[in-house]
Amino acid sequence: MNEHRVDEPQPNAPEPDLSQPGTLRPEGPRRDEPKPEDPMPEDPMPEEPKPMEPGPAEPKPAEPKLAESGSGEPQGVRPVRVLVVDDHPLFREGLKAALESAEGISVVAQAERIAEVPGAVERSAPDVVIMDLSLPDGSGLEALRTLAGREQAPPVLMLTMSDDDGNLLAALQAGARGYLVKGAGREEVLHAVRTVAAGGAVFGGEVAGRIAELLAGARMREAGQLFPELTAREAEVLDLVARGLDNRRIARELVVAEKTVRNHVTHIFEKLHVGTRAEAVARARDMGLGDG
């Protein structure tokens, strides 16, 4: 039996005719047969999203804290409102500039006469009144007493050239919450304004050391110190006049004749340069007499 052998194709040899019987088909896909396509990978099932774990809560921004004043009220809500009462325009403007150069203080009104003070207070509602003693139509102590009689009266800080004991004592007795001499420095004035607005009291270094002695002093030497031009007896009579006693009652109090009292009153008028009993009483009360 003859073996049928398939010869390996030689280079450049014609390809065998596969249509003839007895020709073996080489393994592998035919050229005219399409290659089987690779199966498409199945899309993976999407994973369900995991619930977010709650993280730490973000801290809330801290609210700004307002500084508290000595009265417990928060400052910073509005500035300290100041009314300046002085008869020198240049001084008023300089004081206004000094006060408003600091944060939290505003000069809301100015006045130069006692008569203007009530209206200025009504219109501007100040937290502090800075007042001079010497005003064209009278003493600043008169305005101080007028304000003290009002409901919800603003505190008064006296700022004056006078540092004598009489004016200091009179201001204290009239209700002043502070007393500074005009030579005080800017920081001292600012501190005084803030302290008085917060409900405190401030007295300059020049006068603070004398306050206790003045308040504790006896009335008998008080009148003589305040009015050195009067004799001791005249000062005593003036004190009783300022208390509202008439000549007859003064005579009983001093155990002297009523005529003697009239003579003392006449000498008092001459030495104080006043023409009426009412003027003498006003002078005496301005200096702190007549309240006991």
Side-chain angles (χ1 to χ4, degrees), residues 199-224:
V202 175
F203 298 92
E206 299 85 352
V207 298
R210 309 199 304 267
I211 292 175
E213 180 183 349
L214 286 172
L215 293 178
R219 182 174 293 274
M220 290 300 295
R221 75 170 187 272
E222 197 173 272

Side-chain angles (χ1 to χ4, degrees), residues 66-79:
L66 298 175
E68 290 189 352
S69 68
S71 62
E73 295 294 330
Q75 292 183 346
V77 176
R78 67 181 181 89

Side-chain angles (χ1 to χ4, degrees), residues 7-32:
D7 295 331
E8 293 182 1
Q10 299 295 324
N12 300 324
E15 294 183 0
D17 186 0
L18 299 179
S19 63
Q20 296 298 325
T23 306
L24 295 178
R25 183 183 302 271
E27 296 181 359
R30 291 176 54 180
R31 292 183 179 180
D32 56 348

Side-chain angles (χ1 to χ4, degrees), residues 123-144:
R123 290 188 302 271
S124 62
D127 300 310
V128 178
V129 178
I130 298 178
M131 188 168 324
D132 191 10
L133 271 175
S134 179
L135 298 172
D137 55 344
S139 170
L141 295 174
E142 297 177 31
L144 174 57

